[in-house]
């Protein structure tokens, strides 16, 4: 089986450890990076990918069923719907209006539950001792993208999130098999309407085009690995795959058990047979390798990618297939590889809004202040958890950055550091202080910190690439204006300058 050339053990330095912690997680303080470095390359990678050994509790805000489960807050019952039907038949406007008020209240309650879920997940990413678990859960949420806007059921979205977390670094085959039984996805792609004699092609199309085999132009293929007829036959295989209440339900009466021809094979295939054929196809492992590469190695704006990048992706696809789609082993090999740490792949990933806000907390140790404000900030920057813009998920890469979002990113960082907006106005009900001094405590000599040393150190600690002299001097100038004193105020001001740099948006 082809292997990715390992990084020499003595090349795993502080910068490499930071690169690993940012890409395979959301970054961390200097102490966290140093702790990862002390483990050595193999120990560091093992600690990240074998996250089951770490505490599973995550943040204190453990999910309670009564927070998200709509069955507990359910106001409308089968009897209510029956009464509504009779009221419509009888033209009872008062009863109809009462039913609709109850329905609207239930919808408001569920939207509130969805916001609570978003806050919980964001808190989990910030506080988790298992960063790769949450990074992968976010990755799968963007890959198997379903939006609450269509699903309109917070419990189904939460259950899908837990499914992604359970299989985050497990086996991709389990994820692909599981997604065709996931109520949120079945609703999102209308497979609950996929019936014998009247097939709905949405899930079959997206499972081939976006979830497993990919669009041909992404990897420079000369032709598509599947045909329109494969999609139509795949839809027949998925007939009867639906849900009842909160659980998957296979409606055998609505399943088309006739002969089907998919990817050159004929049989009375069902949905799981269909998935097995997709997993066996060579294009599947290559496409998933490509998605992993873009998420963890390099955004690679070129489509199709350069020949050297394509060769690495093909090699990674063979590694994934050779490990029988075991994600933990594949990621472990990638994170140990020389290619992962290559200079061309550093500062080659634009932080998503979630990576930006979570990473700023984890890197700098700033107080969370208000998790709902962070949630709202990420949404305004283009990434609201549980609400991907389409079944394609978020485009990522350069799509994250424009004039408007860059300004909002800078303002968000200022608020996180100071509790004030860009105009210097304090945020309502937020008096949480931030002490940045632990970031530079190792630089202290006889009770003082050299401003030149602090300027260089902050860039090394928080930026994935060097900046030009003018930008470096802009940081240094902050200390000059503070009479060359590095204290809490001047350091916070320097961090405001640093986080406003374009280079801070890269990891």
């Amino acid at each position: 089986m082809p292997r990715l050339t390992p990084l020499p053990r003595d090349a795993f330095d502080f910068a490499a450890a930071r690169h690993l912690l940012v890409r395979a997680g959301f970054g961390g303080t200097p102490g966290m990076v140093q702790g990862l470095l002390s483990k050595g390359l193999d120990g560091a990678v093992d600690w990240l990918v074998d996250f089951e050994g770490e505490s599973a509790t995550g943040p204190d805000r453990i999910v309670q069923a009564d927070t998200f489960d709509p069955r507990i807050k359910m106001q409308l019952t089968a009897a209510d719907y029956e009464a509504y039907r009779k009221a419509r038949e009888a033209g009872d406007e008062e009863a109809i209006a009462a039913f609709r008020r109850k329905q609207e209240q239930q919808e408001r309650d569920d939207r509130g539950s969805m916001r609570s879920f978003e806050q919980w997940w964001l808190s989990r990413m910030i506080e988790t001792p298992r960063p790769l678990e949450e990074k992968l859960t976010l990755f799968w949420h963007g890959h198997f993208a379903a939006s609450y806007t269509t699903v309109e059921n917070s419990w189904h979205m939460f259950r899908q999130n837990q499914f992604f977390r359970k299989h985050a670094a497990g086996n991709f085959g389990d994820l692909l098999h599981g997604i065709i039984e996931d109520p949120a996805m079945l609703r999102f792609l209308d497979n609950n309407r996929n019936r014998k004699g009247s097939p709905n092609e949405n899930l079959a199309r997206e499972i081939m085009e976006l979830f497993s085999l990919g669009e041909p132009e992404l990897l420079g293929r000369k032709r598509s690995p599947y045909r329109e007829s494969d999609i139509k036959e795949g839809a027949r295989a998925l007939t009867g795959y639906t849900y009842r209440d909160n659980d998957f339900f296979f409606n055998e009466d609505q399943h088309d058990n006739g002969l089907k021809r998919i990817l050159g094979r004929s049989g009375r295939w069902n949905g799981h047979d269909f998935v097995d054929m997709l997993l066996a196809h060579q294009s599947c492992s290559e496409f998933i390798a490509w998605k992993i590469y873009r998420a963890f190695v390099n955004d690679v704006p070129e489509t199709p990618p350069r020949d050297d990048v394509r060769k690495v992706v093909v090699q990674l696809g063979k590694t994934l297939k050779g490990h029988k789609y075991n994600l933990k082993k594949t990621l472990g090999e990638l994170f140990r590889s020389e290619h992962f740490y290559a200079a061309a792949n550093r500062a080659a990933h634009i932080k998503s809004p979630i990576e930006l806000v979570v990473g700023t907390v984890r890197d700098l140790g700033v107080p969370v202040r208000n998790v709902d404000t962070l949630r709202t900030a990420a949404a305004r920057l283009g990434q609201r958890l549980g609400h991907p813009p389409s079944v394609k998920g978020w485009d990522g890469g350069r799509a994250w950055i424009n004039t408007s979002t860059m300004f909002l990113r800078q303002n968000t960082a200022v608020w996180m550091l100071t509790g004030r907006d860009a105009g210097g106005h304090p945020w309502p009900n937020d008096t949480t202080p931030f002490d940045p001094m632990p970031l530079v405590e190792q630089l202290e000599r006889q009770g003082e910190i050299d401003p030149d040393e602090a300027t260089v150190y902050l860039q090394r600690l928080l930026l994935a690439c060097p900046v030009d002299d003018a930008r470096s001097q802009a940081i240094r100038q902050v200390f000059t204006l503070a009479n060359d004193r590095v204290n809490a105020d001047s350091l916070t001001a320097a961090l405001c300058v640093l986080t406003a740099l374009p280079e801070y948006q890269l990891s």
Side-chain angles (χ1 to χ4, degrees):
M1 179 180 68
R3 289 181 57 84
L4 294 162
T5 304
L7 178 77
R9 298 298 180 262
D10 58 2
F12 188 66
D13 55 12
F14 185 91
R18 183 185 179 279
H19 178 72
L20 175 61
L21 190 58
V22 169
R23 293 294 183 83
F26 300 95
T29 62
M32 293 176 183
V33 176
Q34 194 61 48
L36 200 66
L37 177 61
S38 68
K39 296 176 185 293
L41 176 61
D42 288 330
V45 173
D46 287 344
W47 178 79
L48 283 162
V49 301
D50 293 327
F51 49 73
E52 290 87 351
E54 289 295 315
S55 168
T57 57
D60 294 335
R61 290 172 286 281
I62 301 300
V63 171
Q64 301 295 328
D66 60 358
T67 303
F68 303 114
D69 191 342
R71 293 172 299 182
I72 295 173
K73 293 185 178 180
M74 188 70 71
Q75 297 183 20
L76 295 173
T77 65
D80 288 321
Y81 282 99
E82 178 62 19
Y84 174 64
R85 184 186 66 78
K86 291 180 178 179
R88 290 190 63 183
E89 289 177 353
D92 186 343
E93 294 298 330
E94 186 176 339
I96 292 171
F99 174 88
R100 288 176 176 167
R101 284 194 298 271
K102 217 173 182 182
Q103 186 178 49
E104 289 168 0
Q105 183 60 52
Q106 182 173 299
E107 290 170 353
R108 283 193 293 271
D109 287 345
D110 195 65
R111 288 194 293 271
S113 293
M114 188 63 196
R115 284 193 296 274
S116 295
F117 161 58
E118 295 169 45
Q119 293 167 9
W120 169 81
W121 189 15
L122 187 57
S123 295
R124 189 180 179 96
M125 285 187 269
I126 289 170
E127 300 176 27
T128 180
R130 301 153 60 128
L132 182 59
E133 179 182 49
E134 295 308 316
K135 192 68 168 284
L136 284 168
T137 302
L138 182 62
F139 170 69
W140 294 123
H141 175 45
H143 179 78
F144 296 108
S147 174
Y148 174 77
T149 304
T150 298
V151 176
E152 296 183 319
N153 188 309
S154 62
W155 181 245
H156 290 181
M157 294 299 295
F158 170 64
R159 288 273 299 275
Q160 185 187 75
N161 181 265
Q162 293 287 61
F163 166 69
F164 291 152
R165 186 170 291 103
K166 177 181 178 181
H167 298 285
N171 189 285
F172 177 72
D174 293 338
L175 281 161
L176 201 60
H177 275 288
I179 208 66
I180 67 171
E181 294 189 357
D182 174 63
M185 186 60 71
L186 292 170
R187 169 68 182 88
F188 184 65
L189 291 178
D190 301 311
N191 211 74
N192 54 320
R193 300 177 182 175
N194 188 10
R195 303 179 179 91
K196 179 173 60 178
S198 181
N200 184 297
E201 297 174 7
N202 287 357
L203 180 58
R205 182 176 301 279
E206 307 309 353
I207 203 172
M208 299 185 87
E209 186 174 293
L210 298 176
F211 300 166
S212 65
L213 303 185
E215 297 169 305
E217 62 271 18
L218 289 180
L219 288 172
R221 302 186 187 115
K222 293 182 179 178
R223 62 185 182 87
S224 175
Y226 54 89
R227 301 178 179 179
E228 194 68 21
S229 60
D230 294 317
I231 293 172
K232 294 181 181 298
E233 296 291 85
R236 291 178 59 210
L238 288 166
T239 50
Y241 281 64
T242 185
Y243 62 93
R244 284 185 177 173
D245 296 324
N246 294 307
D247 298 304
F248 169 73
F249 176 71
F250 177 62
N251 190 338
E252 193 168 359
D253 292 339
Q254 292 299 331
H255 177 66
D256 184 341
N257 200 37
L259 286 173
K260 309 168 189 75
R261 186 168 181 80
I262 304 174
L263 298 174
R265 295 178 58 193
S266 298
R268 299 184 186 277
W269 310 124
N270 61 28
H272 290 289
D273 298 324
F274 178 36
V275 168
D276 282 335
M277 283 185 270
L278 297 176
L279 291 167
H281 199 289
Q282 176 186 345
S283 295
C284 183
S285 57
E286 283 189 9
F287 176 61
I288 301 307
W290 166 246
K291 294 294 292 282
I292 289 172
Y293 189 91
R294 285 206 69 210
F296 291 96
V297 181
N298 195 313
D299 283 341
V300 195
E302 297 90 354
T303 301
R306 300 190 315 268
D307 188 56
D308 59 326
V309 172
R310 173 166 167 70
K311 287 179 179 178
V312 174
V313 171
V314 169
Q315 184 180 358
L316 185 63
K318 290 179 179 178
T319 297
L320 183 62
K321 193 72 174 285
H323 287 312
K324 299 180 180 179
Y325 287 103
N326 183 296
L327 295 160
K328 182 183 297 185
K329 290 182 179 179
T330 303
L331 289 168
E333 196 162 317
L334 176 64
F335 295 152
R336 287 182 174 88
S337 72
E338 196 168 29
H339 184 79
F340 177 76
Y341 298 95
N345 293 324
R346 303 200 193 189
H349 175 80
I350 297 174
K351 297 174 185 176
S352 74
I354 293 296
E355 289 171 333
L356 177 69
V357 299
V358 173
T360 298
V361 175
R362 292 182 70 105
D363 282 346
L364 304 182
V366 297
V368 173
R369 300 189 186 280
N370 185 311
V371 71
D372 195 60
T373 301
L374 292 181
R375 178 193 71 86
T376 302
R380 288 177 177 171
L381 290 169
Q383 190 175 29
R384 183 177 176 186
L385 296 173
H387 296 74
S390 73
V391 70
K392 288 186 176 183
W394 293 278
D395 290 334
R398 291 177 181 171
W400 291 128
I401 300 292
N402 57 46
T403 304
S404 175
T405 58
M406 190 65 186
F407 178 73
L408 286 171
R409 281 172 175 249
Q410 293 167 346
N411 280 355
T412 299
V414 168
W415 171 74
M416 294 175 74
L417 286 161
T418 67
R420 296 173 178 268
D421 63 23
H425 305 104
W427 198 261
N429 303 317
D430 183 8
T431 58
T432 311
F434 167 50
D435 178 12
M437 296 308 291
L439 286 172
V440 295
E441 59 187 1
Q442 69 183 63
L443 304 180
E444 187 174 336
R445 306 286 187 273
Q446 287 83 46
E448 293 187 356
I449 296 173
D450 180 83
D452 292 326
E453 191 177 359
T455 300
V456 173
Y457 180 73
L458 289 174
Q459 294 173 67
R460 174 173 170 253
L461 179 65
L462 299 172
L463 302 179
C465 61
V467 297
D468 60 30
D469 288 343
R471 287 173 176 165
S472 184
Q473 283 303 310
I475 300 170
R476 178 62 177 84
Q477 181 66 16
V478 174
F479 298 122
T480 301
L481 294 173
N483 298 317
D484 281 345
R485 296 296 301 276
V486 179
N487 53 34
D489 290 339
S490 65
L491 184 54
T492 299
L495 290 171
C496 287
V497 173
L498 187 148
T499 55
L501 298 177
E503 289 82 358
Y504 186 71
Q505 310 304 323
L506 303 174
S507 71

